[in-house]
């Protein structure tokens, strides 16, 4: 087996036991990148030189008998909206095309302390707005399962990279589904942690009350390893939660007999693709056979999640993106004759269509005349959705729903109709609105051989339970073992 196809836990163990060197791992992964990246285009930037320098240092420390951390020597790809000291962080936007941060996001610091090696920055929808990575101003990332189809988004580069073994693992961000949806389109594991579990310091903000960083991996066990590394209170992020540190690997293998799995049948009855529905039902049967109890639940307000999301997220985005004015941050227009013109031209040139659409929508819902009708009402519905989940979790331990209503689509299929694109997020968005953790695990294939995702949701800060169910599901179905032919 080639080193590039190994999981995080396997690579870390082999390095630690001196079965392989860190350089050998990097050689294998970068070689694979050389052969495959041209077809897939997952990366915006490769950081080969830094990676090899770091590998040498880590190997020296290891050879001196030092502990180099639980991810010691493991390569990782990072979504390009997470700040990396001295490495370009573009958000796949012309606005930040040349932005080189002079500090690391907290998650990057934590990864480096755990011995991980950053091998590159991955492509995404501009400022994380989108569901297909087609909104990138830089390049078009392809789905390794079918190069004519999208990898999902907005963390499409991260998902595609892990799927075709050009990164053993990656970080993404999830505001309304951007980790789970591409994970499901590319047949990898994607975890969105509870809001506040992982620091957002140094992560370029899209919608601050919804954004969360999380791992994309080849296995649920790897997701738990990465969560162990990145979770935890951070003084630099006031929304980060002060909860005791947990070991997410500890109980991951416990069996799920007697676990109550909630199924919101009514919520998922409309607009779902036949193959996705069939796979979902088969997967529920598997869980039943494994001893779980399937319980019908109601999520009455979940159907309002999309309008609620597109009010709250765009409102927050319009405010967060105000800083890119050509003066404080971002691209600056060359010709201008007044300050106003500088702002307008810089923003007109720097932002793509989808970002502009959302800034306008967000500004509208926050405007004094419409604030009560939209933004305030959106916040009220948000509370109702939170209560929906609270009630559901009185009856069950974990909720199971498909990750997306459809599998990956062809390039251009949904770009002309933004609403159709937004509908792809119907099953992922409620989780962000309620601040809950959710994981997408490979859950089967459609008639074209495209991957289908199975999503599990748990109570806030109950990732242990969530990972346990996901792990058992994965081990008993093995859909994650199937790889694309690229
Ligand atoms: N697809 C959703 C959007 O376009 C979610 C994006 C995300 O999670 N960053 O807003």
């Amino acid at each position: 087996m080639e080193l590039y196809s190994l999981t995080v836990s396997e690579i870390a163990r082999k390095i630690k036991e001196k079965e392989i060197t860190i350089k050998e791992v990097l050689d294998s992964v970068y070689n694979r990148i050389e052969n495959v990246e041209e077809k897939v285009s997952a990366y915006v930037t490769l950081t080969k030189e830094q990676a090899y320098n770091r590998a040498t240092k880590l190997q020296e420390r290891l050879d001196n008998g030092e502990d180099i951390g639980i991810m010691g020597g493991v390569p990782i790809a990072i979504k390009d909206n997470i700040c990396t000291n001295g490495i370009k962080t573009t958000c796949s936007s012309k606005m930040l095309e040349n932005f080189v941060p002079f500090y690391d996001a907290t998650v990057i610091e934590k990864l480096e302390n755990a011995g991980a090696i950053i091998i590159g920055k991955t492509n995404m929808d501009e400022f994380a707005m989108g569901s297909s990575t087609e909104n990138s101003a830089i390049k078009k990332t392809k789905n390794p399962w079918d190069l004519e189809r999208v990898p999902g988004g907005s963390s499409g580069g991260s998902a595609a990279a892990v799927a075709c073994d050009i990164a053993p693992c990656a970080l993404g961000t999830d505001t309304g589904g951007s980790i789970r949806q591409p994970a499901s389109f590319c047949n990898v594991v994607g975890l969105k942690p509870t809001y506040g579990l992982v620091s957002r310091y140094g992560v370029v903000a899209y919608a601050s009350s919804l954004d969360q960083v999380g791992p994309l991996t080849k296995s649920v066990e790897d997701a738990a390893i990465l969560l162990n590394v990145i979770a935890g209170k951070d003084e630099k992020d006031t929304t980060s939660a002060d909860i005791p540190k947990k070991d997410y690997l500890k109980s991951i293998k416990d069996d799920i007999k007697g676990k109550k799995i909630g199924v919101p049948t009514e919520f998922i009855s409309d607009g779902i693709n036949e193959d996705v529905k069939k796979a979902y039902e088969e997967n529920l049967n598997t869980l039943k056979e494994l001893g779980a109890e399937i319980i019908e639940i109601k999520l009455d307000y979940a159907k309002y999640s999309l309008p609620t999301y597109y009010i709250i997220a765009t409102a927050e985005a319009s405010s967060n993106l105000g800083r890119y004015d050509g003066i404080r941050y971002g691209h600056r227009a060359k010709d201008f004759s007044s300050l106003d013109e500088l702002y307008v031209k810089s923003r007109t040139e720097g932002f793509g269509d989808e970002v502009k659409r959302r800034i306008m929508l967000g500004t509208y819902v926050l405007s004094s005349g419409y604030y009560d009708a939209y933004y305030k009402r959106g916040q009220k519905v948000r509370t109702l959705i939170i209560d929906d989940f609270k009630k559901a979790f009185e009856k069950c331990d974990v909720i199971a729903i498909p990750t997306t209503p459809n599998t990956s689509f062809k390039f251009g299929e949904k770009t002309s109709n933004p609403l159709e694109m937004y509908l792809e997020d119907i099953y992922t968005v409620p989780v962000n609105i309620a601040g809950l953790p959710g994981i997408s695990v490979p859950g089967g294939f459609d008639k074209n051989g495209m991957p289908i995702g199975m999503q599990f949701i748990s109570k806030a800060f109950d990732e242990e339970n969530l990972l346990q169910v996901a792990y058992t599901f994965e081990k008993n179905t093995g859909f994650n073992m199937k790889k694309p032919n690229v």
Side-chain angles (χ1 to χ4, degrees):
M1 202 163 186
E2 301 286 348
L3 294 182
Y4 61 69
S5 62
L6 299 179
T7 60
V8 171
S9 72
E10 289 161 341
I11 296 175
R13 184 188 56 77
K14 282 183 192 285
I15 289 174
K16 200 170 169 192
E17 290 171 3
K18 309 260 171 82
E19 239 176 77
I20 53 175
T21 65
I22 302 174
K23 183 176 174 296
E24 280 164 0
V25 177
L26 277 189
D27 286 346
S28 174
V29 174
Y30 276 118
N31 255 328
R32 173 83 181 156
I33 291 177
E34 231 154 77
N35 295 328
V36 176
E37 169 65 4
E38 212 173 294
K39 286 185 232 164
V40 178
S41 295
Y43 286 98
V44 172
T45 307
L46 289 171
T47 52
K48 206 167 171 180
E49 204 185 312
Q50 287 106 313
Y52 275 98
N53 286 340
R54 200 165 139 67
T56 311
K57 288 196 192 119
L58 282 167
Q59 190 70 51
E60 265 170 32
R61 283 178 46 203
L62 182 69
D63 294 344
N64 285 334
E66 268 180 62
D67 178 4
I68 56 168
I70 55 174
M71 285 182 73
V74 177
I76 185 165
I78 306 290
K79 186 175 181 181
D80 213 18
N81 60 348
I82 301 176
C83 285
T84 38
N85 191 358
I87 301 167
K88 261 205 296 198
T89 300
T90 68
C91 287
S92 290
S93 177
K94 265 169 91 179
M95 190 52 101
L96 291 177
E97 210 169 15
N98 300 310
F99 172 55
V100 181
F102 50 83
Y103 68 101
D104 277 323
T106 297
V107 286
I108 300 296
E109 256 175 31
K110 283 179 181 278
L111 281 171
E112 297 205 324
N113 290 338
I117 301 180
I118 294 165
I119 52 172
K121 303 291 296 283
T122 54
N123 197 25
M124 55 186 278
D125 283 299
E126 184 176 8
F127 283 100
M129 298 174 184
S131 310
S132 65
T133 310
E134 286 166 292
N135 294 333
S136 166
I138 295 178
K139 52 165 68 168
K140 184 161 137 183
T141 299
K142 327 264 185 354
N143 190 316
W145 290 85
D146 177 348
L147 301 175
E148 283 174 15
R149 290 175 191 268
V150 303
S154 64
S155 313
S158 288
V162 176
C164 65
D165 287 331
I166 54 177
C169 62
L171 284 191
T173 59
D174 191 312
T175 306
S178 279
I179 290 175
R180 290 159 289 154
Q181 187 257 20
S184 113
F185 278 17
C186 292
N187 207 47
V188 300
V189 175
L191 169 68
K192 182 208 97 75
T194 307
Y195 183 78
L197 184 61
V198 178
S199 167
R200 290 183 296 112
Y201 178 76
V203 180
V204 179
Y206 160 18
S208 310
S209 78
L210 301 159
D211 297 343
Q212 225 0 229
V213 178
L216 291 113
T217 54
K218 297 179 193 179
S219 72
V220 175
E221 186 185 15
D222 281 2
I225 294 175
L226 265 77
L227 190 62
N228 273 348
V229 172
I230 62 174
K233 169 81 184 150
D234 179 14
E235 292 304 328
K236 294 182 194 143
D237 173 4
T238 50
T239 61
S240 96
D242 200 0
I243 59 150
K245 192 121 182 98
K246 293 185 187 167
D247 177 3
Y248 297 101
L249 286 168
K250 208 168 122 207
S251 56
I252 198 171
K253 295 184 181 165
D254 290 2
D255 82 57
I256 62 163
K257 275 202 187 69
K259 279 239 193 299
K260 297 193 171 88
I261 308 227
V263 172
T265 311
E266 215 180 288
F267 174 47
I268 52 183
S269 57
D270 283 344
I272 182 169
N273 163 296
E274 274 309 306
D275 292 358
V276 175
K277 192 166 170 215
K278 203 168 135 238
Y280 173 66
E281 281 161 2
E282 279 168 16
N283 290 335
L284 290 180
N285 276 333
T286 307
L287 290 163
K288 228 191 276 174
E289 280 160 22
L290 292 166
E293 201 184 320
I294 307 293
I295 290 178
E296 180 71 34
I297 54 158
K298 273 184 164 308
L299 294 174
D300 293 331
Y301 292 95
K303 57 175 176 287
Y304 303 115
S305 293
L306 276 183
T308 306
Y309 172 82
Y310 277 95
I311 288 169
I312 296 172
T314 57
E316 293 183 18
S318 73
S319 159
N320 275 327
L321 272 58
R323 72 190 70 173
Y324 306 104
D325 54 13
I327 293 182
R328 287 173 298 170
Y329 283 99
H331 166 82
R332 178 177 296 185
K334 292 225 163 48
D335 306 311
F336 52 88
S337 51
S338 68
L339 184 61
D340 269 354
E341 206 188 333
L342 166 63
Y343 290 153
V344 171
K345 273 197 165 172
S346 300
R347 288 169 71 82
T348 305
E349 291 168 10
F351 290 136
D353 287 350
E354 185 61 27
V355 175
K356 285 177 187 155
R357 179 162 28 241
R358 295 192 187 199
I359 292 173
M360 286 191 285
L361 190 58
T363 313
Y364 179 80
V365 300
L366 285 175
S367 61
S368 59
Y370 294 100
Y371 184 90
D372 285 351
Y374 293 108
Y375 185 71
K376 210 163 154 195
R377 190 172 294 174
Q379 292 292 14
K380 285 183 182 164
V381 180
R382 182 174 198 174
T383 306
L384 293 173
I385 294 169
I386 294 172
D387 289 345
D388 249 3
F389 277 108
K390 272 198 192 130
K391 267 187 240 145
F393 283 122
E394 283 168 10
K395 288 170 71 183
C396 65
D397 301 299
V398 164
I399 295 172
I401 62 172
T403 311
T404 57
N406 292 296
T407 51
S408 167
F409 40 91
K410 297 229 164 106
F411 287 99
E413 214 174 283
K414 294 185 198 265
T415 35
S416 57
N417 184 350
L419 284 184
E420 221 179 281
M421 187 79 90
Y422 297 172
L423 275 173
E424 287 307 300
D425 299 330
I426 180 76
Y427 300 146
T428 48
V429 153
V431 176
N432 301 71
I433 291 184
L436 303 174
I439 190 167
S440 178
V441 187
F445 297 88
D446 72 4
K447 58 178 173 310
N448 298 316
M450 295 307 287
I452 292 171
M454 181 76 173
Q455 184 181 205
F456 299 106
I457 304 162
S458 76
K459 273 182 248 177
F461 303 109
D462 196 15
E463 274 83 355
E464 283 156 306
N465 230 324
L466 185 70
L467 289 162
Q468 222 176 68
V469 173
Y471 178 90
T472 306
F473 175 80
E474 175 188 272
K475 281 285 168 279
N476 286 281
T477 51
F479 295 122
N480 67 320
M481 302 306 280
K482 210 171 157 195
K483 301 274 178 137
N485 230 333
V486 64

